[in-house]
Amino acid sequence: MIRSGDIRRSDFTREGGFPVSAITESGSSTSRTLVSDRARVLKTMAFGDKVFALLTLSAAYLVLLVLAGIIISLIIGAWPAITTFGLDFLTTTRWAPQLEPEPILGALAPIYGTLVSSFIAMLIAVPFGLGIAIFLTELCPHSIRKPIRLAIELLAGIPSIIYGMWGFFVLGPFLANYVEPGIVAVFADIPVLNSVFGGEMLSNLSLFNASLILAIMILPFITAIAVDVFSTVPPVLKEAAYGIGCTTWEVVSNVVLPFTRVGVVGGVMLALGRALGETMAVTFIIGNSFKISSSIFAPGTTISAAIASEFAESEGVHQSGLILLGLLLFVLTFFVLAAARLMLMRLEKRAGA
Amino acid sequence: MKFTTLIAAGFAMVASISAAVAEDISGAGATFPFPIYSKWADAYKKASGVGLNYQSIGSGAGRKQIQAKTVTFGATDIPQKEAYLDQYGFVQFPMVMGGIVPIVNLEGVSGSDLTLSGETLANIYLGKIKKWDDAAIAALNPKAKLPSLPIIVIRRSDGSGTTFNFTTYLSAVSSEFKSKVGAGEAVEWPVGIGAAGNAGVSANVMQTKGSIGYVEYAYATQNGLAWTDMVNSAGKRVKPSLAAFKAAASKGDWANAKRFNLILANSPGEASWPMMATTFILMYAEPVSVPASNAALKYFDWAYTNGGKMAEDLDYVPMPDSVVAQVRSAWKGIASK
């Protein structure tokens, strides 16, 4: 795998990319004019290079600048809430913006909802997504490979509001009427699980329904990236494995997955990033209730859903609290992605030894 | 998707700029009166050639827009207190009213089959009444066959003037609701599922068996939802209807309301519907642009005079003549030269 640091700028730019020896070694009388011509050409090229480098550099720094700007404005916006609630904001489950004179706001319920909904979504989407990718690259008959891949890529192109509406009108009622009562009945007599899958009040909108929609939304990311990295496995490796009598499962688990680990984890992380921040679809179907319930079939809320539904009509500390929620999501996403990077680095180290 | 929103925003900006060139009246705020404001605007444009550019972005956002002086008038479903009005130098006046109704989804129950009292409704929204065959509901509806279904409470997830008026009513009839939840645009609901907008609440109730919600009357009639009758403050059962809304509106003590700061909750009178919403206009006493302010006042004046029938067609309640006279005298506080 080529990383940006491996190619030094000098490899390409110092000599303008020309094989220098081919010209200077000719030694004839024309060589002097050739050299000055060459110097002139090289000069203009060097100028072009400089401009190009400067352009790309400024583009890269601009991103940093925007990022810093966003963080600073979030902190400024959240400051009244930070000074009012302090660390209590992280441990309070109440969300009471109407209280006089000061509202009580706590982020625990939305943080819980964000983490749990993303976790359930990953739990569903990762095995399904990888399964589809393995099927497509290893097992699928050639004739249906393209249609299936296209269908999955189309899933990624559907705007999230459409998922929200579909979840609201179709999936939610279907789950609440036909699927969830069955699950509740199965676990009714098992301690602990009967409260996780508890359902005294099943409704169309719940944490689980939102997680399922999220899973469908992130599935194409996982599959598309996994298919791409699976096809980078040198056929020789697979053929060798098959040649010594490995089954398809053994080839996938011992050759393909270890070879593509880094890419697969990258795809999963991209999907997780999307799941954590997804707003519109979740707002439609999660039920927007600032409560931590033991049951995944109860309504909940996520950070982004809370901001989306309350921001327009909020004022003062309430609005500042919502901005603070946004800042928390920023931090949360950063930590999750940083943890993923760290994990990746350790994986690479172990594999590279 | 973000790119398309950007383009849409760009178009909206271009549209608003070109609208400003045509010297339309600009306003922003509450979503609840948007249908009637635009209907009036169409008719007014035909009559006078002046159009209205109204951004239906919510009461709170509307107040921010007028505070920032980017619009000529702001619209809010929540009457503002004197201190706030003085702080910014606003003149406040009521424009139109409407009724809020509880809607239910129960098999075999259609419009007006059930009756609820204020306290029962408050207890449902407090999570104290959990099933439809609860004794309190049964006592109010001796003839109805009530199923032993859990009540699924649906309420707004977004901050809203409808929620403000609904919770103000529940706080007026139940001291427990007042102390535990209170009144506000966004409150800490003890139970229930949040849905966005009047449309979200009605769609949710339509889909969920055993659910109850609250919406503006027009949403219940247009979606064919079952609503409940209410026991009003005089102890009488009333059906939600224009007549009942008007009866409630007529009891409003506007003459003694300071700067029209009046909430029509739990109105007295035997025929009064208990849950009402009034929408207000905010304008500067010292306008940024006097001609724009005058044009807006002309439009409102025209709407008071000619808009009553159009409002009633959309299930809104026009302001009574006595209040309109009071509003017109309040306009003298707005500089017109």
Side-chain angles (χ1 to χ4, degrees):
Chain A
M1 202 170 273
I2 297 174
R3 304 170 118 255
S4 53
D6 295 342
I7 303 163
R8 265 171 240 107
R9 186 169 163 267
S10 56
D11 291 350
F12 284 135
T13 53
R14 193 177 296 153
E15 299 300 342
F18 285 116
V20 180
S21 55
I23 303 171
T24 47
E25 275 171 19
S26 57
S28 71
S29 59
T30 54
S31 74
R32 202 160 288 164
T33 51
L34 208 65
V35 165
S36 66
D37 273 357
R38 182 171 152 264
R40 200 158 37 80
V41 170
L42 279 183
K43 218 174 170 187
T44 56
M45 281 183 152
F47 177 71
D49 275 348
K50 245 183 211 157
V51 170
F52 182 68
L54 212 69
L55 270 176
T56 48
L57 183 88
S58 56
Y61 277 123
L62 195 68
V63 171
L64 281 184
L65 213 69
V66 169
L67 192 71
I70 291 173
I71 294 176
I72 290 168
S73 57
L74 276 179
I75 291 175
I76 292 173
W79 196 250
I82 294 173
T83 51
T84 313
F85 305 115
L87 281 177
D88 287 349
F89 192 74
L90 294 174
T91 54
T92 311
T93 51
R94 286 188 71 185
W95 187 267
Q98 85 284 8
L99 285 188
E100 299 282 345
E102 278 291 296
I104 295 176
L105 303 176
L108 202 58
I111 291 175
Y112 169 85
T114 305
L115 292 177
V116 169
S117 64
S118 294
F119 177 72
I120 299 175
M122 298 307 283
L123 217 58
I124 300 168
V126 170
F128 267 92
L130 292 185
I132 295 169
I134 290 167
F135 174 75
L136 283 179
T137 49
E138 305 297 325
L139 301 163
C140 184
H142 216 77
S143 55
I144 58 167
R145 182 179 298 175
K146 269 223 165 123
I148 293 180
R149 244 198 109 163
L150 198 71
I152 287 166
E153 273 162 20
L154 275 178
L155 271 185
I158 297 175
S160 63
I161 188 89
I162 307 285
Y163 278 109
M165 289 189 326
W166 180 71
F168 186 85
F169 286 112
V170 183
L171 187 71
F174 173 77
L175 289 173
N177 293 329
Y178 302 107
V179 180
E180 285 164 15
I183 302 177
V184 170
V186 167
F187 292 103
D189 297 324
I190 307 169
V192 182
L193 287 184
N194 62 2
S195 68
V196 173
F197 298 104
E200 26 171 332
M201 272 200 245
L202 288 178
S203 74
N204 301 344
L205 310 182
S206 74
L207 195 60
F208 176 75
N209 296 2
S211 309
L212 199 60
I213 284 282
L214 273 181
I216 299 171
M217 291 178 75
I218 60 179
L219 189 75
F221 286 81
I222 298 174
T223 302
I225 292 176
V227 165
D228 283 345
V229 294
F230 284 172
S231 47
T232 62
V233 178
V236 178
L237 285 184
K238 285 195 278 183
E239 280 157 16
Y242 281 122
I244 59 169
C246 288
T247 60
T248 309
W249 168 246
E250 283 166 334
V251 171
V252 168
S253 59
N254 294 324
V255 178
V256 176
L257 280 178
F259 191 85
T260 55
R261 201 172 34 210
V262 174
V264 168
V265 172
V268 167
M269 285 308 138
L270 193 71
L272 179 60
R274 176 156 195 203
L276 284 172
E278 174 51 43
T279 309
M280 227 39 240
V282 173
T283 312
F284 258 63
I285 45 183
I286 198 161
N288 299 302
S289 163
F290 285 83
K291 289 256 171 336
I292 296 179
S293 171
S294 62
S295 169
I296 57 169
F297 297 143
T301 190
T302 68
I303 292 177
S304 47
I307 298 171
S309 43
E310 292 199 359
F311 198 79
E313 290 290 306
S314 62
E315 280 171 312
V317 181
H318 181 197
Q319 187 163 73
S320 176
L322 290 170
I323 296 172
L324 182 52
L325 271 186
L327 186 64
L328 283 178
L329 182 62
F330 203 96
V331 174
L332 198 73
T333 317
F334 176 80
F335 272 115
V336 168
L337 294 181
R341 285 249 153 225
L342 219 71
M343 204 171 81
L344 243 131
M345 267 159 58
R346 283 175 59 184
L347 268 177
E348 275 177 336
K349 225 179 236 171
R350 212 183 304 154
Chain B
M1 213 187 85
K2 279 191 186 132
F3 186 60
T4 50
T5 14
L6 209 71
I7 291 179
F11 274 119
M13 244 163 77
V14 171
S16 64
I17 289 165
S18 57
V21 169
E23 289 193 27
D24 280 356
I25 303 158
S26 71
T31 50
F32 153 62
F34 177 58
I36 182 61
Y37 285 177
S38 40
K39 192 170 181 181
W40 282 342
D42 279 347
Y44 185 62
K45 177 129 197 173
K46 273 178 204 140
S48 69
V50 178
L52 171 75
N53 172 28
Y54 183 74
Q55 307 164 36
S56 144
I57 48 177
S59 302
R63 288 198 297 275
K64 272 176 217 138
Q65 293 273 317
I66 183 80
Q67 278 164 227
K69 305 188 176 178
T70 54
V71 288
T72 310
F73 71 89
T76 169
D77 288 344
I78 296 126
Q80 297 299 307
K81 296 196 179 85
E82 206 165 11
Y84 170 86
L85 297 173
D86 285 341
Q87 185 189 341
Y88 291 98
F90 286 146
V91 172
Q92 172 173 260
F93 53 93
M95 203 59 223
V96 69
M97 296 174 283
I100 299 168
V101 296
I103 47 173
V104 295
N105 178 348
L106 275 177
E107 223 159 303
V109 171
S110 54
S112 283
D113 279 0
L114 284 185
T115 306
L116 293 175
S117 67
E119 203 178 346
T120 319
L121 194 59
N123 283 337
I124 290 174
Y125 272 88
L126 278 169
K128 282 172 74 187
I129 296 180
K130 291 190 163 75
K131 293 222 162 178
W132 281 106
D133 56 356
D134 190 278
I137 303 177
L140 286 162
N141 303 280
K143 282 182 197 155
K145 273 188 194 155
L146 294 163
S148 181
L149 266 178
I151 301 176
I152 294 176
V153 172
I154 308 221
R155 34 81 181 172
R156 292 284 288 269
S157 61
D158 47 339
S160 108
T162 312
T163 299
F164 171 80
N165 284 299
F166 184 68
T167 50
T168 304
Y169 167 68
L170 293 184
S171 297
V173 292
S174 158
S175 54
E176 191 179 349
F177 192 91
K178 190 176 183 178
S179 64
K180 278 193 180 158
V181 182
E185 287 160 275
V187 296
E188 184 191 22
W189 296 102
V191 288
I193 293 165
N198 273 307
V201 171
S202 45
N204 243 307
V205 170
M206 249 190 284
Q207 285 187 10
T208 314
K209 273 181 203 142
S211 61
I212 186 167
Y214 58 91
V215 290
E216 306 287 351
Y217 179 61
Y219 283 89
T221 53
Q222 280 157 22
N223 292 315
L225 289 159
W227 58 77
T228 73
D229 293 351
M230 289 294 294
V231 177
N232 66 14
S233 63
K236 291 276 188 280
R237 288 169 187 237
V238 279
K239 288 184 192 309
S241 67
L242 203 59
F245 299 155
K246 275 187 164 170
S250 70
K251 300 291 180 197
D253 187 12
W254 293 101
N256 290 316
K258 269 191 186 159
R259 317 278 288 270
F260 297 104
N261 180 6
L262 181 74
I263 302 162
L264 282 175
N266 209 20
S267 290
E270 297 203 339
S272 296
W273 181 253
M275 291 177 281
M276 299 289 292
T278 314
T279 188
F280 297 83
I281 301 288
L282 295 175
M283 286 177 69
Y284 280 103
E286 300 293 334
V288 183
S289 155
V290 173
S293 169
N294 286 346
L297 286 177
K298 241 173 123 182
Y299 162 72
F300 292 131
D301 187 64
W302 177 91
Y304 279 133
T305 315
N306 306 299
K309 175 78 178 55
M310 279 179 261
E312 287 181 11
D313 285 348
L314 292 178
D315 298 312
Y316 291 92
V317 184
M319 301 309 296
D321 289 342
S322 60
V323 181
V324 173
Q326 223 184 313
V327 169
R328 286 194 170 117
S329 76
W331 284 351
K332 288 179 189 131
I334 299 175
S336 58
K337 274 176 198 163

